[in-house]
Amino acid sequence: MNLLPLLALLGSLISLCIGSSYAKTLFPALGVEAVSALRIGLSALILFAVLRPWRMNWSRHELGALALYGSTLGLMNLMFYESIARIPLALAIAIEFTGPLAVAIWNSHRWLDALWLALAVLGLSMLLPWSGFEGADLDPIGMAYALAAAVCWALYIVLGQKVARRHGVQAVAMGMAFAAVLVVPIGAMQPEVDWAQSHWWLWGLAVALFSSALPYALEIYALRHMRRHTFSIGLSLEPAVGAVAGWLILSESLTVLQGLAIVLVICACMGSAWPRRPPAHGT
């Protein structure tokens, strides 16, 4: 097997988790909304410059679908940042992953997927404050934001499949633009941020590059050279990568219980992505 696609996928996960960790370090100075606005706004500019979606003729119906898709993308990013401002990065990622897991199980008819759903539910239940487990003392508001991000991610997948089939990568650029229309005004209204300071824009550009531009480019390369189920299984490792990034960059340590909960969610995601039967030789 060619190792380059696997390395590209791993690089995407590392870049994304580094970008999220770095974004979290900016929250005390800028606030969650402003950092989210910088990431979304600058990512939209980068994608517009690279993909140039203005060259296409968009109908009113198409723009409406893209606006809904982009709004979901913007809310997903904002909810995720609100969650990592209150709970460890790895746990927020694990909770958010229940969104795509729910979509995968909903579209599946395998009885085995009930096991993966049970594993994910067990992992999440262990983190609830009233679960009775020692160490299950996460901020409930942070968990609620992570669950909201999971719902947004599920909607993003459903809506994204529709627009991507029709418009390909151009849908991502237009979706990010609509996300910026939603999120940027919220961040721009934060009174504590002096937007005339150039270093805010440089820091925001770093977040946009590591959290959006670079991971997206690496994922596109990996998807073109890997089977889809292999890609999905590899993507399930993101909570583990987030745990390492949170520990190294943010000094976030997890309890044994929290680590076990993450492992259960990762196993559930991997199991749901596993193919029903071995792929035919050469496919």
Side-chain angles (χ1 to χ4, degrees), residues 222-246:
L223 271 172
R224 288 175 176 172
H225 297 85
M226 296 174 66
R227 298 187 181 98
R228 186 169 295 274
H229 70 267
T230 305
F231 177 87
S232 298
I233 291 171
L235 194 65
S236 302
L237 293 174
E238 186 178 339
V241 178
V244 175

Side-chain angles (χ1 to χ4, degrees), residues 1 59 66 83 91 95 112 153 162 243 245 272:
M1 178 185 292
S59 68
L66 288 167
S83 69
L91 294 174
I95 295 172
L112 189 59
W153 196 354
K162 296 180 180 179
S272 68

Side-chain angles (χ1 to χ4, degrees), residues 1-271:
M1 178 185 292
N2 190 351
L3 287 179
L4 285 180
L6 291 174
L7 292 176
L9 178 57
L10 179 60
S12 170
L13 299 181
I14 293 174
S15 177
L16 182 59
C17 291
I18 289 176
S20 297
S21 300
Y22 180 59
K24 186 169 182 175
T25 66
L26 301 180
F27 291 166
L30 293 175
V32 174
E33 295 83 2
V35 176
S36 185
L38 284 170
R39 173 188 174 179
I40 293 292
L42 293 174
S43 296
L45 291 177
I46 293 172
L47 288 174
F48 253 62
V50 174
L51 299 177
R52 296 177 287 178
W54 64 83
R55 298 178 301 171
M56 299 183 65
N57 294 321
W58 304 96
S59 68
R60 182 176 301 180
H61 174 73
E62 291 171 336
L63 289 175
L66 288 167
L68 185 59
Y69 163 71
S71 298
T72 305
L73 171 61
L75 284 175
M76 178 178 69
N77 179 83
L78 184 57
M79 295 299 100
F80 178 70
Y81 275 11
E82 291 283 3
S83 69
I84 66 173
R86 296 168 173 83
I87 63 176
L89 173 66
L91 294 174
I93 294 175
I95 295 172
E96 189 187 29
F97 256 78
T98 59
L101 175 63
V103 174
I105 292 177
W106 178 266
N107 293 325
S108 173
H109 302 287
R110 299 182 302 178
W111 66 267
L112 189 59
D113 284 323
L115 171 62
W116 311 131
L117 177 61
L119 279 181
V121 171
L122 176 60
L124 292 181
S125 65
M126 293 167 61
L127 301 175
L128 296 175
W130 52 83
S131 64
F133 289 103
E134 183 180 358
D137 53 355
L138 294 177
D139 186 332
I141 297 178
M143 291 188 66
Y145 274 124
L147 287 172
V151 173
C152 289
W153 196 354
L155 293 173
Y156 169 80
I157 292 173
V158 174
L159 297 171
Q161 287 175 340
K162 296 180 180 179
V163 297
R165 290 192 191 105
R166 186 173 180 85
H167 308 296
V169 295
Q170 298 293 345
V172 179
M174 290 298 293
M176 192 69 74
F178 281 111
V181 171
L182 174 66
V183 176
V184 169
I186 298 175
M189 290 188 294
Q190 304 307 307
E192 66 272 16
V193 182
D194 181 5
W195 294 107
Q197 299 291 326
S198 60
H199 57 274
W200 297 143
W201 297 96
L202 293 175
W203 294 355
L205 181 61
V207 171
L209 289 173
F210 280 100
S211 300
S212 296
L214 182 57
Y216 174 72
L218 291 173
E219 284 181 7
I220 290 295
Y221 175 82
L223 271 172
R224 288 175 176 172
H225 297 85
M226 296 174 66
R227 298 187 181 98
R228 186 169 295 274
H229 70 267
T230 305
F231 177 87
S232 298
I233 291 171
L235 194 65
S236 302
L237 293 174
E238 186 178 339
V241 178
V244 175
W247 176 57
L248 292 176
I249 300 175
L250 302 171
S251 299
E252 292 179 345
S253 58
L254 302 175
T255 66
V256 174
L257 174 72
Q258 293 168 347
L260 178 59
I262 290 175
V263 170
L264 290 177
V265 173
I266 290 175
C267 290
C269 293
M270 286 185 170

